[in-house]
Amino acid sequence: MRTDGFYVATLALAVALSTAAVTTATRAQSEPLTGMSLPAPPFQYVDECGARFVELAPQAEPHTITWREFGEPVATYVGVTAYAHGRDGDPRRENPQGLYQCTELVHRYLRQTYAIPTRIGLGLGHGVDLAHGVAERFGGETWTGGITGETPVTLRYFASGGDACRPMVGSVVSIAMPYDDGTPSPGHVAIIRALEPDSGVLIATLFEQHGGSSLAPGDEVSAGQIRFERVDGAWVGAFLSQSGRTFPVVGWTSVVAP
């Protein structure tokens, strides 16, 4: 699959995922130039599971990032920037704005990309349950003014292992990460920025923020990945950590154009 910043659907992905009809989204151009090809839009509409989803353009690169000091950019996707959470012990980590936790990135991504007015402080959950929290809070309404222009969008949640609808590029994914003794933790949340078929499963590459207290500026960090597979007709996800451990995906929220 090409990953040049614009969405290119491959036959392999279409066969592996579904036989759904895919309609490319179009943008109004005020004065298109004759003889010049206009860039493809950074998303497409996907008709699947009885709904019309908004799926973003994949961005498989980079596979690694270099960790930075607190507040320095480490990655970008669809115009949204992820920032480093700095080194362990940095007092700037403790702030009421959640800078720069995984949850802060997801709230900002939904605001900047889809004009959904979510933010830290609304009580929508930690990483482990934020995907469900934003869908529960904002899924009952529609929003305009983001990348889809005047086309209204809303949010819809899917539980891992409980639904036949696949995740999309651009979906928000919540992950359970219990502590070593098995007790629950705040977990993690991220955005899917690429989704590749691989021998009957889907490998998602993540756009994410935060990353653990052990990271120090200059460390090379692999992009997070999730392995999705169909089990008894439903999609189930497992997060693949750098330590070799796997953690269960709780669920994901996708953007729908009703």
Side-chain angles (χ1 to χ4, degrees):
M1 179 183 289
R2 289 175 53 197
T3 54
D4 57 2
F6 301 111
Y7 193 92
V8 181
T10 63
L11 177 60
L13 182 59
V15 172
L17 300 182
S18 75
T19 58
V22 176
T23 304
T24 302
T26 58
R27 294 287 185 86
Q29 304 290 334
S30 57
E31 292 184 25
L33 300 177
T34 303
M36 294 185 64
S37 59
L38 297 171
F43 68 93
Q44 66 172 8
Y45 295 121
V46 178
D47 294 324
E48 188 170 312
C49 292
R52 169 161 285 193
F53 294 93
V54 178
E55 183 160 40
L56 298 185
Q59 180 201 53
E61 299 290 343
H63 291 293
T64 61
I65 63 172
T66 301
W67 202 242
R68 305 292 184 189
E69 295 285 357
F70 180 91
E72 294 183 0
V74 293
T76 59
Y77 178 53
V78 290
V80 181
T81 301
Y83 299 95
H85 199 48
R87 64 179 72 238
D88 194 15
D90 189 329
R92 293 176 295 182
R93 287 178 172 223
E94 304 301 325
N95 58 79
Q97 296 80 25
L99 307 176
Y100 286 97
Q101 301 278 350
C102 58
T103 51
E104 188 275 335
L105 175 64
V106 167
H107 287 293
R108 184 157 42 86
Y109 158 77
L110 290 173
R111 286 198 310 273
Q112 293 183 10
T113 309
Y114 299 105
I116 296 172
T118 185
R119 58 177 174 80
I120 293 285
L122 294 179
L124 304 183
H126 297 292
V128 67
D129 44 23
L130 184 58
H132 181 267
V134 292
E136 185 175 52
R137 170 62 179 81
F138 298 103
E141 303 174 67
T142 58
W143 311 92
T144 59
I147 64 169
T148 60
E150 293 305 308
T151 300
V153 298
T154 190
L155 300 177
R156 181 174 167 186
Y157 178 75
F158 302 91
S160 181
D163 207 291
C165 292
R166 69 172 176 89
M168 300 281 165
V169 179
S171 293
V172 172
V173 184
S174 279
I175 302 156
M177 291 183 169
Y179 293 115
D180 290 341
D181 63 2
T183 58
S185 83
H188 187 46
V189 66
I191 298 118
I192 296 176
R193 61 178 170 86
L195 199 59
E196 296 281 351
D198 181 14
S199 301
V201 303
L202 298 175
I203 303 299
T205 302
L206 302 179
F207 176 54
E208 54 193 336
Q209 196 170 257
H210 201 190
S213 59
S214 62
L215 294 175
D219 287 349
E220 290 292 324
V221 184
S222 298
Q225 290 192 322
I226 294 174
R227 183 180 188 271
F228 288 99
E229 63 179 325
R230 288 181 70 94
V231 178
D232 296 329
W235 287 99
V236 177
F239 176 81
L240 313 175
S241 73
Q242 294 190 72
S243 67
R245 295 180 64 189
T246 60
F247 296 95
V249 167
V250 178
W252 56 90
T253 284
S254 297
V255 177
V256 178

